Amino acid sequence: MLLLGPEDTKNHLAFPALIDALRTMFASGCEMPLRHHHNMEVPGEPDATLLLMPAWQPGKYFGVKLASVFPGNSTRNMPAISASYVLSNGTTGETLALIDGGELTARRTAAASALAADYLARKNARHLVMVGTGRLSLNLIEAHAAVRALEKVTVWGRSKDKADKIAAAAADRLGIQCEVSEDLPEACATADIVSVATLSETPVVSGDWLPNGCHLDLVGAFKPSMRESDDAAILKSSLFADTREGAMTEGGDFAIPLREGILTPVSILADLYDLCRGHHKGRRDDSEITLFKSVGAALEDLAGAILAYETAKASI
């Protein structure tokens, strides 16, 4: 059995290869039961979340991720997300690898957003606004840079110190202009892509700030009570998701306006299955505002775990 720690997992999940692996998996599909989703009380802090996510390709591979989200870790300078992934042989049941689930989750989540942006962002998109300064932010910047020739990144966060660190790291890795903004509406006004990864319970980005041709990538708000975009963003955008069912029930950006009658299921034009299978072409023109809601799917974990395992095995 291979043991892949955080650094090994990262090294075996280069974004171009991971984006391609997700594209292939969404096109071919796999068996993916609904995830188990449980709230866990943490005395004196926000509730934590426990997720169990199984998926398999009959006769090939199967795997399960055990993940937890502890929002209170922000006060301890610890990652909110912890996870482990077990990958096994789909014919014999043999355990093949134990993979760091936190790194797998961060990278496959960012890769899914970049995959969506490859269909939904303008081909000439050059300016990315990154909203949020958690673990996902730098991954999202790097992943989007793998599908679009970014020339400028603007980082906004509630902590300017954290935003400064993310901007500096992104500039070092990508070699492009990276800056920090304390005025989010102003930053969004010139954005080609706005990527949002927060644990906010209330909207942080308004549709009124989005220019024509912008692509809005919503990655946080993974519970029905959480939301990163307002009604204006929903109403003025063409709507897409990683998986229709997950986005409508698990993420508040769609679930709340659905409950309130502002949004109907038919308003969600396509998910990554449709896009990767050519059932929907994605962006229609350069003036369209597109919105992608990600809640994560076990399919993405399985695709990433298989890539990490096969890449690691080939390097031995």
Side-chain angles (χ1 to χ4, degrees), residues 116-117 119-122 192-194 210-218 233-234 236-240 254 269 280 282-293:
Y119 295 99
L120 302 176
R122 295 196 325 272
D192 299 315
I193 302 171
V194 178
L210 303 177
N212 287 341
C214 187
H215 171 59
L216 180 58
D217 171 41
L218 301 175
I234 295 296
K236 73 186 298 185
S237 302
S238 298
L239 305 179
F240 300 85
F254 284 179
L269 300 180
H280 193 287
R283 171 175 288 274
R284 293 174 299 181
D285 55 56
D286 282 351
S287 64
E288 182 182 19
I289 297 175
T290 54
L291 184 156
F292 173 71
K293 176 56 192 165

Side-chain angles (χ1 to χ4, degrees), residues 162-178:
K162 291 181 179 179
D164 285 334
K165 291 178 181 177
I166 294 297
D172 182 60
R173 294 190 189 185
L174 300 177
I176 61 175
Q177 178 187 354
C178 297

